[in-house]
PDB file of all heavy atoms in Angstrom:
ATOM      1  N   ILE C   1     -16.198  -1.496  -1.931  1.00  0.00           N
ATOM      2  CA  ILE C   1     -17.167  -2.486  -2.387  1.00  0.00           C
ATOM      3  C   ILE C   1     -17.288  -3.630  -1.293  1.00  0.00           C
ATOM      4  O   ILE C   1     -16.309  -4.203  -0.927  1.00  0.00           O
ATOM      5  CB  ILE C   1     -16.782  -3.149  -3.700  1.00  0.00           C
ATOM      6  CG1 ILE C   1     -16.494  -2.059  -4.820  1.00  0.00           C
ATOM      7  CG2 ILE C   1     -17.744  -4.124  -4.114  1.00  0.00           C
ATOM      8  CD1 ILE C   1     -15.967  -2.601  -6.059  1.00  0.00           C
ATOM      9  N   GLY C   2     -18.628  -3.696  -0.788  1.00  0.00           N
ATOM     10  CA  GLY C   2     -18.924  -4.883   0.021  1.00  0.00           C
ATOM     11  C   GLY C   2     -19.487  -5.922  -0.877  1.00  0.00           C
ATOM     12  O   GLY C   2     -20.233  -5.688  -1.755  1.00  0.00           O
ATOM     13  N   TYR C   3     -18.975  -7.184  -0.679  1.00  0.00           N
ATOM     14  CA  TYR C   3     -19.440  -8.342  -1.549  1.00  0.00           C
ATOM     15  C   TYR C   3     -19.562  -9.479  -0.814  1.00  0.00           C
ATOM     16  O   TYR C   3     -19.073  -9.798   0.386  1.00  0.00           O
ATOM     17  CB  TYR C   3     -18.454  -8.421  -2.720  1.00  0.00           C
ATOM     18  CG  TYR C   3     -17.052  -8.899  -2.180  1.00  0.00           C
ATOM     19  CD1 TYR C   3     -16.716 -10.185  -2.082  1.00  0.00           C
ATOM     20  CD2 TYR C   3     -15.959  -7.986  -1.912  1.00  0.00           C
ATOM     21  CE1 TYR C   3     -15.483 -10.610  -1.663  1.00  0.00           C
ATOM     22  CE2 TYR C   3     -14.666  -8.158  -1.422  1.00  0.00           C
ATOM     23  CZ  TYR C   3     -14.391  -9.651  -1.368  1.00  0.00           C
ATOM     24  OH  TYR C   3     -13.192 -10.027  -0.989  1.00  0.00           O
ATOM     25  N   TYR C   4     -20.269 -10.527  -1.410  1.00  0.00           N
ATOM     26  CA  TYR C   4     -20.388 -11.961  -0.973  1.00  0.00           C
ATOM     27  C   TYR C   4     -19.610 -12.801  -1.751  1.00  0.00           C
ATOM     28  O   TYR C   4     -19.777 -12.737  -3.010  1.00  0.00           O
ATOM     29  CB  TYR C   4     -21.858 -12.214  -0.919  1.00  0.00           C
ATOM     30  CG  TYR C   4     -22.150 -13.645  -0.454  1.00  0.00           C
ATOM     31  CD1 TYR C   4     -22.013 -14.153   0.897  1.00  0.00           C
ATOM     32  CD2 TYR C   4     -22.643 -14.495  -1.508  1.00  0.00           C
ATOM     33  CE1 TYR C   4     -22.298 -15.488   1.154  1.00  0.00           C
ATOM     34  CE2 TYR C   4     -22.935 -15.893  -1.123  1.00  0.00           C
ATOM     35  CZ  TYR C   4     -22.741 -16.392   0.156  1.00  0.00           C
ATOM     36  OH  TYR C   4     -23.013 -17.649   0.453  1.00  0.00           O
ATOM     37  N   SER C   5     -18.915 -13.781  -1.207  1.00  0.00           N
ATOM     38  CA  SER C   5     -18.174 -14.889  -1.905  1.00  0.00           C
ATOM     39  C   SER C   5     -18.909 -16.146  -1.830  1.00  0.00           C
ATOM     40  O   SER C   5     -19.077 -16.641  -0.751  1.00  0.00           O
ATOM     41  CB  SER C   5     -16.724 -14.874  -1.346  1.00  0.00           C
ATOM     42  OG  SER C   5     -16.105 -16.011  -1.939  1.00  0.00           O
ATOM     43  N   GLU C   6     -19.421 -16.539  -2.913  1.00  0.00           N
ATOM     44  CA  GLU C   6     -20.194 -17.746  -2.970  1.00  0.00           C
ATOM     45  C   GLU C   6     -19.269 -19.011  -2.826  1.00  0.00           C
ATOM     46  O   GLU C   6     -19.775 -19.920  -2.111  1.00  0.00           O
ATOM     47  CB  GLU C   6     -20.958 -17.947  -4.220  1.00  0.00           C
ATOM     48  CG  GLU C   6     -21.917 -19.090  -4.393  1.00  0.00           C
ATOM     49  CD  GLU C   6     -23.270 -18.670  -3.704  1.00  0.00           C
ATOM     50  OE1 GLU C   6     -23.768 -17.664  -3.893  1.00  0.00           O
ATOM     51  OE2 GLU C   6     -23.731 -19.602  -2.937  1.00  0.00           O
ATOM     52  N   SER C   7     -18.078 -18.886  -3.130  1.00  0.00           N
ATOM     53  CA  SER C   7     -17.152 -20.132  -2.984  1.00  0.00           C
ATOM     54  C   SER C   7     -16.923 -20.486  -1.630  1.00  0.00           C
ATOM     55  O   SER C   7     -16.897 -21.655  -1.214  1.00  0.00           O
ATOM     56  CB  SER C   7     -15.797 -19.775  -3.761  1.00  0.00           C
ATOM     57  OG  SER C   7     -15.172 -18.596  -3.260  1.00  0.00           O
ATOM     58  N   ASP C   8     -16.633 -19.405  -0.703  1.00  0.00           N
ATOM     59  CA  ASP C   8     -16.425 -19.871   0.708  1.00  0.00           C
ATOM     60  C   ASP C   8     -17.490 -19.358   1.572  1.00  0.00           C
ATOM     61  O   ASP C   8     -17.336 -19.239   2.846  1.00  0.00           O
ATOM     62  CB  ASP C   8     -15.004 -19.354   1.131  1.00  0.00           C
ATOM     63  CG  ASP C   8     -14.784 -17.936   0.953  1.00  0.00           C
ATOM     64  OD1 ASP C   8     -15.767 -17.102   0.643  1.00  0.00           O
ATOM     65  OD2 ASP C   8     -13.685 -17.447   1.121  1.00  0.00           O
ATOM     66  N   LYS C   9     -18.594 -18.785   1.069  1.00  0.00           N
ATOM     67  CA  LYS C   9     -19.717 -18.340   1.774  1.00  0.00           C
ATOM     68  C   LYS C   9     -19.266 -17.343   2.842  1.00  0.00           C
ATOM     69  O   LYS C   9     -19.738 -17.470   4.129  1.00  0.00           O
ATOM     70  CB  LYS C   9     -20.575 -19.492   2.372  1.00  0.00           C
ATOM     71  CG  LYS C   9     -21.039 -20.510   1.334  1.00  0.00           C
ATOM     72  CD  LYS C   9     -21.792 -21.519   1.954  1.00  0.00           C
ATOM     73  CE  LYS C   9     -22.401 -22.431   0.910  1.00  0.00           C
ATOM     74  NZ  LYS C   9     -23.044 -21.982  -0.230  1.00  0.00           N
ATOM     75  N   SER C  10     -18.610 -16.256   2.480  1.00  0.00           N
ATOM     76  CA  SER C  10     -18.146 -15.242   3.431  1.00  0.00           C
ATOM     77  C   SER C  10     -18.391 -13.881   2.835  1.00  0.00           C
ATOM     78  O   SER C  10     -18.614 -13.666   1.753  1.00  0.00           O
ATOM     79  CB  SER C  10     -16.700 -15.558   3.683  1.00  0.00           C
ATOM     80  OG  SER C  10     -15.834 -15.176   2.414  1.00  0.00           O
ATOM     81  N   ALA C  11     -18.297 -12.895   3.823  1.00  0.00           N
ATOM     82  CA  ALA C  11     -18.481 -11.516   3.544  1.00  0.00           C
ATOM     83  C   ALA C  11     -17.083 -10.961   3.173  1.00  0.00           C
ATOM     84  O   ALA C  11     -16.211 -11.205   4.000  1.00  0.00           O
ATOM     85  CB  ALA C  11     -19.240 -10.685   4.506  1.00  0.00           C
ATOM     86  N   GLY C  12     -16.993 -10.125   2.115  1.00  0.00           N
ATOM     87  CA  GLY C  12     -15.658  -9.502   1.844  1.00  0.00           C
ATOM     88  C   GLY C  12     -15.748  -7.978   1.637  1.00  0.00           C
ATOM     89  O   GLY C  12     -16.911  -7.419   1.476  1.00  0.00           O
ATOM     90  N   TYR C  13     -14.679  -7.293   1.638  1.00  0.00           N
ATOM     91  CA  TYR C  13     -14.657  -5.790   1.503  1.00  0.00           C
ATOM     92  C   TYR C  13     -13.418  -5.530   0.588  1.00  0.00           C
ATOM     93  O   TYR C  13     -12.285  -5.931   0.847  1.00  0.00           O
ATOM     94  CB  TYR C  13     -14.602  -5.182   2.825  1.00  0.00           C
ATOM     95  CG  TYR C  13     -14.838  -3.744   2.798  1.00  0.00           C
ATOM     96  CD1 TYR C  13     -16.152  -3.347   2.616  1.00  0.00           C
ATOM     97  CD2 TYR C  13     -13.833  -2.785   2.965  1.00  0.00           C
ATOM     98  CE1 TYR C  13     -16.502  -1.890   2.539  1.00  0.00           C
ATOM     99  CE2 TYR C  13     -14.064  -1.370   2.842  1.00  0.00           C
ATOM    100  CZ  TYR C  13     -15.495  -0.927   2.734  1.00  0.00           C
ATOM    101  OH  TYR C  13     -15.783   0.323   2.684  1.00  0.00           O
ATOM    102  N   TYR C  14     -13.607  -4.714  -0.422  1.00  0.00           N
ATOM    103  CA  TYR C  14     -12.641  -4.313  -1.356  1.00  0.00           C
ATOM    104  C   TYR C  14     -12.508  -2.768  -1.358  1.00  0.00           C
ATOM    105  O   TYR C  14     -13.463  -2.106  -1.367  1.00  0.00           O
ATOM    106  CB  TYR C  14     -12.873  -4.799  -2.759  1.00  0.00           C
ATOM    107  CG  TYR C  14     -12.062  -4.399  -3.812  1.00  0.00           C
ATOM    108  CD1 TYR C  14     -10.759  -5.019  -4.135  1.00  0.00           C
ATOM    109  CD2 TYR C  14     -12.362  -3.166  -4.611  1.00  0.00           C
ATOM    110  CE1 TYR C  14      -9.968  -4.484  -5.195  1.00  0.00           C
ATOM    111  CE2 TYR C  14     -11.494  -2.672  -5.564  1.00  0.00           C
ATOM    112  CZ  TYR C  14     -10.322  -3.372  -5.869  1.00  0.00           C
ATOM    113  OH  TYR C  14      -9.521  -2.964  -6.808  1.00  0.00           O
ATOM    114  N   VAL C  15     -11.220  -2.242  -1.408  1.00  0.00           N
ATOM    115  CA  VAL C  15     -10.967  -0.846  -1.535  1.00  0.00           C
ATOM    116  C   VAL C  15     -10.137  -0.647  -2.670  1.00  0.00           C
ATOM    117  O   VAL C  15      -9.062  -1.316  -2.905  1.00  0.00           O
ATOM    118  CB  VAL C  15     -10.240  -0.307  -0.146  1.00  0.00           C
ATOM    119  CG1 VAL C  15      -9.946   1.161  -0.392  1.00  0.00           C
ATOM    120  CG2 VAL C  15     -11.016  -0.513   1.018  1.00  0.00           C
ATOM    121  N   GLU C  16     -10.565   0.221  -3.534  1.00  0.00           N
ATOM    122  CA  GLU C  16      -9.863   0.532  -4.768  1.00  0.00           C
ATOM    123  C   GLU C  16      -8.456   1.045  -4.520  1.00  0.00           C
ATOM    124  O   GLU C  16      -8.207   1.961  -3.646  1.00  0.00           O
ATOM    125  CB  GLU C  16     -10.677   1.568  -5.512  1.00  0.00           C
ATOM    126  CG  GLU C  16      -9.980   1.997  -6.901  1.00  0.00           C
ATOM    127  CD  GLU C  16     -10.852   3.115  -7.595  1.00  0.00           C
ATOM    128  OE1 GLU C  16     -11.668   3.771  -7.007  1.00  0.00           O
ATOM    129  OE2 GLU C  16     -10.594   3.254  -8.766  1.00  0.00           O
ATOM    130  N   PRO C  17      -7.488   0.369  -5.013  1.00  0.00           N
ATOM    131  CA  PRO C  17      -6.088   0.954  -4.838  1.00  0.00           C
ATOM    132  C   PRO C  17      -5.912   2.403  -5.167  1.00  0.00           C
ATOM    133  O   PRO C  17      -6.540   2.910  -6.185  1.00  0.00           O
ATOM    134  CB  PRO C  17      -5.170   0.034  -5.817  1.00  0.00           C
ATOM    135  CG  PRO C  17      -6.075  -1.181  -6.053  1.00  0.00           C
ATOM    136  CD  PRO C  17      -7.558  -0.651  -6.056  1.00  0.00           C
ATOM    137  N   HIS C  18      -5.127   3.076  -4.484  1.00  0.00           N
ATOM    138  CA  HIS C  18      -4.920   4.557  -4.700  1.00  0.00           C
ATOM    139  C   HIS C  18      -3.686   4.790  -5.546  1.00  0.00           C
ATOM    140  O   HIS C  18      -2.766   4.017  -5.568  1.00  0.00           O
ATOM    141  CB  HIS C  18      -4.737   5.255  -3.259  1.00  0.00           C
ATOM    142  CG  HIS C  18      -5.455   6.523  -3.266  1.00  0.00           C
ATOM    143  ND1 HIS C  18      -5.226   7.480  -4.188  1.00  0.00           N
ATOM    144  CD2 HIS C  18      -6.486   6.874  -2.503  1.00  0.00           C
ATOM    145  CE1 HIS C  18      -5.988   8.523  -3.833  1.00  0.00           C
ATOM    146  NE2 HIS C  18      -6.799   8.308  -2.957  1.00  0.00           N
ATOM    147  N   PHE C  19      -3.781   5.935  -6.117  1.00  0.00           N
ATOM    148  CA  PHE C  19      -2.511   6.430  -6.946  1.00  0.00           C
ATOM    149  C   PHE C  19      -2.091   7.622  -6.344  1.00  0.00           C
ATOM    150  O   PHE C  19      -2.787   8.634  -6.118  1.00  0.00           O
ATOM    151  CB  PHE C  19      -3.079   6.752  -8.356  1.00  0.00           C
ATOM    152  CG  PHE C  19      -3.377   5.479  -9.150  1.00  0.00           C
ATOM    153  CD1 PHE C  19      -4.645   4.854  -9.040  1.00  0.00           C
ATOM    154  CD2 PHE C  19      -2.450   4.748  -9.999  1.00  0.00           C
ATOM    155  CE1 PHE C  19      -5.029   3.735  -9.680  1.00  0.00           C
ATOM    156  CE2 PHE C  19      -2.813   3.660 -10.708  1.00  0.00           C
ATOM    157  CZ  PHE C  19      -3.980   3.108 -10.509  1.00  0.00           C
ATOM    158  N   LEU C  20      -0.809   7.585  -6.131  1.00  0.00           N
ATOM    159  CA  LEU C  20      -0.058   8.823  -5.387  1.00  0.00           C
ATOM    160  C   LEU C  20       0.594   9.731  -6.361  1.00  0.00           C
ATOM    161  O   LEU C  20       1.449   9.200  -7.150  1.00  0.00           O
ATOM    162  CB  LEU C  20       0.949   8.361  -4.444  1.00  0.00           C
ATOM    163  CG  LEU C  20       1.832   9.378  -3.637  1.00  0.00           C
ATOM    164  CD1 LEU C  20       0.999  10.310  -2.836  1.00  0.00           C
ATOM    165  CD2 LEU C  20       2.867   8.645  -2.802  1.00  0.00           C
ATOM    166  N   ASP C  21       0.220  10.940  -6.401  1.00  0.00           N
ATOM    167  CA  ASP C  21       0.851  11.951  -7.327  1.00  0.00           C
ATOM    168  C   ASP C  21       1.569  12.875  -6.484  1.00  0.00           C
ATOM    169  O   ASP C  21       1.098  13.678  -5.686  1.00  0.00           O
ATOM    170  CB  ASP C  21      -0.318  12.693  -8.133  1.00  0.00           C
ATOM    171  CG  ASP C  21       0.270  13.705  -9.058  1.00  0.00           C
ATOM    172  OD1 ASP C  21       1.483  13.902  -9.027  1.00  0.00           O
ATOM    173  OD2 ASP C  21      -0.565  14.226  -9.741  1.00  0.00           O
ATOM    174  N   TYR C  22       2.935  12.823  -6.579  1.00  0.00           N
ATOM    175  CA  TYR C  22       3.774  13.604  -5.656  1.00  0.00           C
ATOM    176  C   TYR C  22       4.515  14.694  -6.521  1.00  0.00           C
ATOM    177  O   TYR C  22       5.540  15.344  -6.249  1.00  0.00           O
ATOM    178  CB  TYR C  22       4.791  12.875  -4.891  1.00  0.00           C
ATOM    179  CG  TYR C  22       5.733  11.969  -5.792  1.00  0.00           C
ATOM    180  CD1 TYR C  22       6.999  12.525  -6.240  1.00  0.00           C
ATOM    181  CD2 TYR C  22       5.526  10.724  -5.899  1.00  0.00           C
ATOM    182  CE1 TYR C  22       7.816  11.785  -6.988  1.00  0.00           C
ATOM    183  CE2 TYR C  22       6.330   9.895  -6.715  1.00  0.00           C
ATOM    184  CZ  TYR C  22       7.496  10.423  -7.233  1.00  0.00           C
ATOM    185  OH  TYR C  22       8.379   9.790  -7.986  1.00  0.00           O
ATOM    186  N   SER C  23       4.023  15.028  -7.648  1.00  0.00           N
ATOM    187  CA  SER C  23       4.503  16.115  -8.588  1.00  0.00           C
ATOM    188  C   SER C  23       4.183  17.396  -7.795  1.00  0.00           C
ATOM    189  O   SER C  23       3.203  17.590  -7.056  1.00  0.00           O
ATOM    190  CB  SER C  23       3.815  16.176 -10.089  1.00  0.00           C
ATOM    191  OG  SER C  23       2.493  16.206  -9.881  1.00  0.00           O
ATOM    192  N   PRO C  24       5.165  18.379  -7.912  1.00  0.00           N
ATOM    193  CA  PRO C  24       5.044  19.615  -7.119  1.00  0.00           C
ATOM    194  C   PRO C  24       3.951  20.562  -7.514  1.00  0.00           C
ATOM    195  O   PRO C  24       4.152  21.639  -8.070  1.00  0.00           O
ATOM    196  CB  PRO C  24       6.495  20.285  -7.137  1.00  0.00           C
ATOM    197  CG  PRO C  24       6.965  19.841  -8.435  1.00  0.00           C
ATOM    198  CD  PRO C  24       6.351  18.405  -8.669  1.00  0.00           C
ATOM    199  N   THR C  25       2.769  20.217  -7.438  1.00  0.00           N
ATOM    200  CA  THR C  25       1.603  21.138  -7.655  1.00  0.00           C
ATOM    201  C   THR C  25       1.105  21.606  -6.342  1.00  0.00           C
ATOM    202  O   THR C  25       0.839  20.735  -5.401  1.00  0.00           O
ATOM    203  CB  THR C  25       0.460  20.437  -8.388  1.00  0.00           C
ATOM    204  OG1 THR C  25       0.213  19.232  -7.667  1.00  0.00           O
ATOM    205  CG2 THR C  25       0.973  19.963  -9.821  1.00  0.00           C
ATOM    206  N   LEU C  26       0.863  22.956  -6.229  1.00  0.00           N
ATOM    207  CA  LEU C  26       0.578  23.471  -4.951  1.00  0.00           C
ATOM    208  C   LEU C  26      -0.961  23.774  -4.682  1.00  0.00           C
ATOM    209  O   LEU C  26      -1.396  24.168  -3.686  1.00  0.00           O
ATOM    210  CB  LEU C  26       1.211  24.870  -4.882  1.00  0.00           C
ATOM    211  CG  LEU C  26       2.775  24.885  -4.985  1.00  0.00           C
ATOM    212  CD1 LEU C  26       3.273  26.269  -4.897  1.00  0.00           C
ATOM    213  CD2 LEU C  26       3.423  24.031  -3.913  1.00  0.00           C
ATOM    214  N   ASP C  27      -1.809  23.358  -5.775  1.00  0.00           N
ATOM    215  CA  ASP C  27      -3.160  23.640  -5.624  1.00  0.00           C
ATOM    216  C   ASP C  27      -4.102  22.440  -5.407  1.00  0.00           C
ATOM    217  O   ASP C  27      -5.259  22.456  -5.513  1.00  0.00           O
ATOM    218  CB  ASP C  27      -3.725  24.285  -6.941  1.00  0.00           C
ATOM    219  CG  ASP C  27      -3.503  23.465  -8.049  1.00  0.00           C
ATOM    220  OD1 ASP C  27      -2.784  22.406  -8.088  1.00  0.00           O
ATOM    221  OD2 ASP C  27      -4.029  23.887  -9.224  1.00  0.00           O
ATOM    222  N   SER C  28      -3.346  21.262  -5.031  1.00  0.00           N
ATOM    223  CA  SER C  28      -4.037  20.032  -4.871  1.00  0.00           C
ATOM    224  C   SER C  28      -4.771  19.854  -3.525  1.00  0.00           C
ATOM    225  O   SER C  28      -5.537  19.055  -3.310  1.00  0.00           O
ATOM    226  CB  SER C  28      -3.188  18.869  -5.148  1.00  0.00           C
ATOM    227  OG  SER C  28      -2.068  18.983  -4.326  1.00  0.00           O
ATOM    228  N   GLY C  29      -4.357  20.809  -2.552  1.00  0.00           N
ATOM    229  CA  GLY C  29      -4.993  20.749  -1.236  1.00  0.00           C
ATOM    230  C   GLY C  29      -4.677  19.376  -0.576  1.00  0.00           C
ATOM    231  O   GLY C  29      -3.703  18.809  -0.680  1.00  0.00           O
ATOM    232  N   ASN C  30      -5.736  18.783   0.039  1.00  0.00           N
ATOM    233  CA  ASN C  30      -5.654  17.465   0.634  1.00  0.00           C
ATOM    234  C   ASN C  30      -6.309  16.411  -0.206  1.00  0.00           C
ATOM    235  O   ASN C  30      -6.540  15.382   0.253  1.00  0.00           O
ATOM    236  CB  ASN C  30      -6.195  17.572   1.992  1.00  0.00           C
ATOM    237  CG  ASN C  30      -5.442  18.338   3.064  1.00  0.00           C
ATOM    238  OD1 ASN C  30      -4.146  18.288   2.990  1.00  0.00           O
ATOM    239  ND2 ASN C  30      -6.094  19.085   3.892  1.00  0.00           N
ATOM    240  N   ASP C  31      -6.416  16.648  -1.409  1.00  0.00           N
ATOM    241  CA  ASP C  31      -7.251  15.731  -2.381  1.00  0.00           C
ATOM    242  C   ASP C  31      -6.171  15.031  -3.245  1.00  0.00           C
ATOM    243  O   ASP C  31      -5.746  15.589  -4.300  1.00  0.00           O
ATOM    244  CB  ASP C  31      -8.227  16.482  -3.145  1.00  0.00           C
ATOM    245  CG  ASP C  31      -9.225  15.408  -4.074  1.00  0.00           C
ATOM    246  OD1 ASP C  31      -8.689  14.313  -4.040  1.00  0.00           O
ATOM    247  OD2 ASP C  31     -10.154  15.819  -4.552  1.00  0.00           O
ATOM    248  N   PRO C  32      -5.704  13.792  -2.987  1.00  0.00           N
ATOM    249  CA  PRO C  32      -4.622  13.250  -3.743  1.00  0.00           C
ATOM    250  C   PRO C  32      -5.166  12.766  -5.096  1.00  0.00           C
ATOM    251  O   PRO C  32      -4.435  12.374  -5.902  1.00  0.00           O
ATOM    252  CB  PRO C  32      -4.259  11.999  -2.814  1.00  0.00           C
ATOM    253  CG  PRO C  32      -5.532  11.698  -2.026  1.00  0.00           C
ATOM    254  CD  PRO C  32      -6.143  13.063  -1.811  1.00  0.00           C
ATOM    255  N   LEU C  33      -6.482  12.872  -5.350  1.00  0.00           N
ATOM    256  CA  LEU C  33      -6.920  12.482  -6.787  1.00  0.00           C
ATOM    257  C   LEU C  33      -7.036  13.620  -7.815  1.00  0.00           C
ATOM    258  O   LEU C  33      -7.483  13.395  -8.883  1.00  0.00           O
ATOM    259  CB  LEU C  33      -8.360  11.850  -6.702  1.00  0.00           C
ATOM    260  CG  LEU C  33      -8.395  10.487  -6.052  1.00  0.00           C
ATOM    261  CD1 LEU C  33      -9.779   9.952  -6.037  1.00  0.00           C
ATOM    262  CD2 LEU C  33      -7.604   9.483  -6.929  1.00  0.00           C
ATOM    263  N   SER C  34      -6.674  14.820  -7.282  1.00  0.00           N
ATOM    264  CA  SER C  34      -6.818  15.985  -8.024  1.00  0.00           C
ATOM    265  C   SER C  34      -6.134  15.959  -9.421  1.00  0.00           C
ATOM    266  O   SER C  34      -6.451  16.740 -10.297  1.00  0.00           O
ATOM    267  CB  SER C  34      -6.572  17.277  -7.170  1.00  0.00           C
ATOM    268  OG  SER C  34      -5.295  17.256  -6.865  1.00  0.00           O
ATOM    269  N   ASN C  35      -5.048  15.294  -9.381  1.00  0.00           N
ATOM    270  CA  ASN C  35      -4.084  15.332 -10.638  1.00  0.00           C
ATOM    271  C   ASN C  35      -4.019  13.999 -11.249  1.00  0.00           C
ATOM    272  O   ASN C  35      -3.125  13.687 -12.079  1.00  0.00           O
ATOM    273  CB  ASN C  35      -2.690  15.930 -10.286  1.00  0.00           C
ATOM    274  CG  ASN C  35      -2.790  17.204  -9.657  1.00  0.00           C
ATOM    275  OD1 ASN C  35      -3.256  18.052 -10.325  1.00  0.00           O
ATOM    276  ND2 ASN C  35      -2.145  17.421  -8.599  1.00  0.00           N
ATOM    277  N   THR C  36      -4.920  13.060 -11.008  1.00  0.00           N
ATOM    278  CA  THR C  36      -4.923  11.747 -11.584  1.00  0.00           C
ATOM    279  C   THR C  36      -5.956  11.620 -12.675  1.00  0.00           C
ATOM    280  O   THR C  36      -6.715  12.453 -12.894  1.00  0.00           O
ATOM    281  CB  THR C  36      -5.135  10.610 -10.566  1.00  0.00           C
ATOM    282  OG1 THR C  36      -6.423  10.633 -10.192  1.00  0.00           O
ATOM    283  CG2 THR C  36      -4.223  10.944  -9.253  1.00  0.00           C
ATOM    284  N   LEU C  37      -5.898  10.493 -13.357  1.00  0.00           N
ATOM    285  CA  LEU C  37      -6.751  10.223 -14.351  1.00  0.00           C
ATOM    286  C   LEU C  37      -8.072   9.560 -13.986  1.00  0.00           C
ATOM    287  O   LEU C  37      -9.004   9.358 -14.619  1.00  0.00           O
ATOM    288  CB  LEU C  37      -6.152   9.354 -15.531  1.00  0.00           C
ATOM    289  CG  LEU C  37      -5.066   9.965 -16.424  1.00  0.00           C
ATOM    290  CD1 LEU C  37      -4.510   9.025 -17.399  1.00  0.00           C
ATOM    291  CD2 LEU C  37      -5.565  11.228 -17.065  1.00  0.00           C
TER     292      LEU C  37
END
């Protein structure tokens, strides 16, 4: 998310926090979201 802050008149950038699933599933490939909600 790119955003503008009116309070300090600046440009900001937000990245959604990630969730790490390290349960031993072998079909997730390189997609860490495949087993999350």
Side-chain angles (χ1 to χ4, degrees):
I1 303 172
Y3 64 89
Y4 173 73
S5 173
E6 189 76 46
S7 58
D8 57 8
K9 301 186 184 304
S10 66
Y13 193 75
Y14 171 86
V15 180
E16 183 181 13
H18 220 300
F19 291 82
L20 173 61
D21 184 352
Y22 59 86
S23 57
T25 54
L26 301 179
D27 60 350
S28 59
N30 289 323
D31 185 351
L33 284 181
S34 60
N35 297 309
T36 73
L37 291 178

